[in-house]
Amino acid sequence: MQIPTDAIQLRIFLGESDLWEHKPLYEAIVLAAREAQLAGATLLRVPMGFGKSSHLHTAKILRLSMDLPLIIEIVDSEEKINAFLPTLDKMMGGGLVTLEKVKVLHYRSSTDEK
């Protein structure tokens, strides 16, 4: 799979406890991105954060949160990302979604010829 040098990064901020059709929303989004044949998706678990409500979510022992912030990052062509946005829109109840232009330096697996 080839990503153009000029690409788009889709970044999705959500909570660990967010659900879509009785399963974790983050899992549903990553699987939907795979089904849409996007170049890849990375899920990041964030140890501390807050959103629109200003409620602090943290992984500290004394303030253990069951709803840690998560970020899903996807980089692909603008066309493929834009085609995925309606699917994402149906899934997202709350959270934040951003798009930004990125410059891809290289995209290959460790087994690709150099």
Side-chain angles (χ1 to χ4, degrees), residues 53-79:
S53 70
S54 293
H55 179 78
L56 189 63
H57 301 270
T58 180
K60 290 185 176 183
I61 298 292
L62 296 176
R63 294 190 51 157
L64 189 60
S65 173
M66 298 305 290
D67 188 23
L68 290 176
L70 301 174
I71 300 171
I72 300 171
E73 293 185 343
I74 301 169
V75 176
D76 210 319
S77 69
E78 186 170 5
E79 296 78 25

Side-chain angles (χ1 to χ4, degrees), residues 46-112:
V46 182
M48 180 181 268
F50 68 92
K52 189 174 181 180
S53 70
S54 293
H55 179 78
L56 189 63
H57 301 270
T58 180
K60 290 185 176 183
I61 298 292
L62 296 176
R63 294 190 51 157
L64 189 60
S65 173
M66 298 305 290
D67 188 23
L68 290 176
L70 301 174
I71 300 171
I72 300 171
E73 293 185 343
I74 301 169
V75 176
D76 210 319
S77 69
E78 186 170 5
E79 296 78 25
K80 289 184 81 172
I81 294 292
N82 285 337
F84 183 67
L85 291 177
T87 300
L88 181 62
D89 189 48
K90 285 189 276 187
M91 301 170 98
M92 294 288 295
L96 173 68
V97 177
T98 64
L99 292 172
E100 62 185 278
K101 293 180 180 184
V102 295
K103 185 76 70 178
V104 175
L105 298 178
H106 69 90
Y107 176 65
R108 60 181 176 240
S109 72
S110 60
T111 59
D112 288 346

Side-chain angles (χ1 to χ4, degrees), residues 4-70:
T5 302
D6 294 315
I8 298 292
Q9 180 179 36
L10 171 62
R11 189 175 286 142
I12 305 156
F13 298 82
L14 63 157
E16 192 173 37
S17 66
D18 294 342
L19 298 175
W20 169 254
E21 296 182 347
H22 309 291
K23 65 179 172 183
L25 177 59
Y26 63 87
E27 182 180 316
I29 291 171
V30 170
L31 292 175
R34 186 171 185 226
E35 186 175 308
Q37 298 181 347
L38 295 175
T42 300
L43 175 67
L44 306 167
R45 191 169 190 218
V46 182
M48 180 181 268
F50 68 92
K52 189 174 181 180
S53 70
S54 293
H55 179 78
L56 189 63
H57 301 270
T58 180
K60 290 185 176 183
I61 298 292
L62 296 176
R63 294 190 51 157
L64 189 60
S65 173
M66 298 305 290
D67 188 23
L68 290 176
L70 301 174

